[in-house]
Amino acid sequence: MNQNLKLRIMTALVVGPLMLGLLFGFGIEGVTLFAWVISLGMWFEFSKMFFNLPDKNEKTAIFLVFTTVIHWGHYWLSVGIHPAFLGLAPVFLFATVFLFQVPRLLHYKGSAELNNPEGVARLKQHLFELMASCFGVVYCTWFPLLMVNIREA
């Protein structure tokens, strides 16, 4: 048996009962904590797959902090906010991602960098990471938040 498969089986055997206890025994706080941990784990995996430029650690840290703030805000503010507001959450999340990454993209050493092939390749890679991070915000941050909303309903 593959070592990776053994690790996944052991993790499922240990984390499975803990997860069920957290989801059913601790109410909304347990679901919120579980969704936050799942979201952080998803971002770690996502950043390993898509971020390849030298600033990958900074991007990962930004998105982990961003996810923590979103989950914290969702937990504390969702009590008094109408559930229809959560339909607007992806719009706000995308706007925040662009606020973090587009200024860095536009300050890309000017046109001298774009005149050589390596600079163009780095710009394409940065655009790819920007597009991937927009998808990652929905996949890694917003989807786990839906678990909390399902538990509240």
Side-chain angles (χ1 to χ4, degrees), residues 74-123:
H74 183 262
Y75 174 70
W76 289 106
L77 297 176
S78 66
V79 176
I81 293 177
H82 193 273
F85 175 76
L86 295 174
L88 296 175
V91 176
F92 295 129
L93 297 174
F94 283 133
T96 306
V97 167
F98 284 125
L99 285 177
F100 277 120
Q101 290 197 352
V102 169
R104 178 181 283 182
L105 180 66
L106 295 177
H107 186 56
Y108 201 75
K109 299 181 184 175
S111 62
E113 183 72 17
L114 296 177
N115 287 335
N116 69 36
E118 294 86 18
V120 172
R122 282 194 298 272
L123 182 62

Side-chain angles (χ1 to χ4, degrees), residues 13-74:
L13 291 175
V14 172
V15 174
L18 289 173
M19 179 184 69
L20 290 175
L22 193 66
L23 291 176
F24 294 115
F26 289 99
I28 194 68
E29 288 82 11
V31 174
T32 302
L33 178 66
F34 179 71
W36 176 65
V37 169
I38 290 294
S39 188
L40 291 181
M42 289 170 70
W43 265 115
F44 272 120
E45 291 292 323
F46 188 84
S47 64
K48 285 181 187 177
M49 286 189 292
F50 287 104
F51 296 157
N52 298 320
L53 291 175
D55 62 349
K56 63 184 173 185
N57 293 333
E58 290 85 2
K59 287 179 184 176
T60 302
I62 284 172
F63 282 111
L64 292 178
V65 169
F66 171 71
T67 298
T68 301
V69 168
I70 293 295
H71 278 269
W72 179 81
H74 183 262

Side-chain angles (χ1 to χ4, degrees), residues 6-19:
K6 286 181 186 178
L7 179 66
R8 289 181 185 266
I9 290 172
M10 291 304 294
T11 302
L13 291 175
V14 172
V15 174
L18 289 173
M19 179 184 69

